[in-house]
Amino acid sequence: MRRIEVASYDPRGVVITLDDGVWVGMAATSRHEDFMFNEMTGVKAGYRGQGISIAMKTFGMTFVKECGASRVRTFHHPAKRARSP
């Protein structure tokens, strides 16, 4: 509830990926005064390496465009390492 009950939350910024009804990934982008923030992107381990994460982030840019934002911020957790295809 701490993520939902804040001014920056907008359900249009949440992208959920399903595989035959099973939740496999989620990305969330929030609205701030002068920028948008990609809060998080996560994909279940068995589904990683298939481009789901980048697809969710790209689809989430529709929300950014709808809001008329010119800047999007994000960060990459240092404990997560990039994987080669």
Side-chain angles (χ1 to χ4, degrees), residues 16-58:
I16 298 170
T17 300
L18 304 173
D19 179 16
D20 200 23
V22 176
W23 188 324
V24 299
M26 184 177 114
T29 302
S30 58
R31 297 179 70 166
H32 297 270
E33 200 166 308
D34 60 344
F35 66 93
M36 306 292 283
F37 181 65
N38 176 248
E39 300 270 343
M40 58 80 61
T41 303
V43 176
K44 281 180 146 181
Y47 290 85
R48 293 180 187 150
Q50 299 178 43
I52 295 170
S53 179
I54 192 69
M56 289 190 301
K57 284 181 181 277
T58 302

Side-chain angles (χ1 to χ4, degrees), residues 54-84:
I54 192 69
M56 289 190 301
K57 284 181 181 277
T58 302
F59 187 80
M61 292 301 102
T62 302
F63 170 59
V64 171
K65 186 175 180 179
E66 286 175 6
C67 293
S70 60
R71 292 190 307 169
V72 180
R73 295 181 180 173
T74 192
F75 70 92
H76 186 77
H77 194 285
K80 306 281 184 183
R81 64 177 180 79
R83 295 183 182 166
S84 299

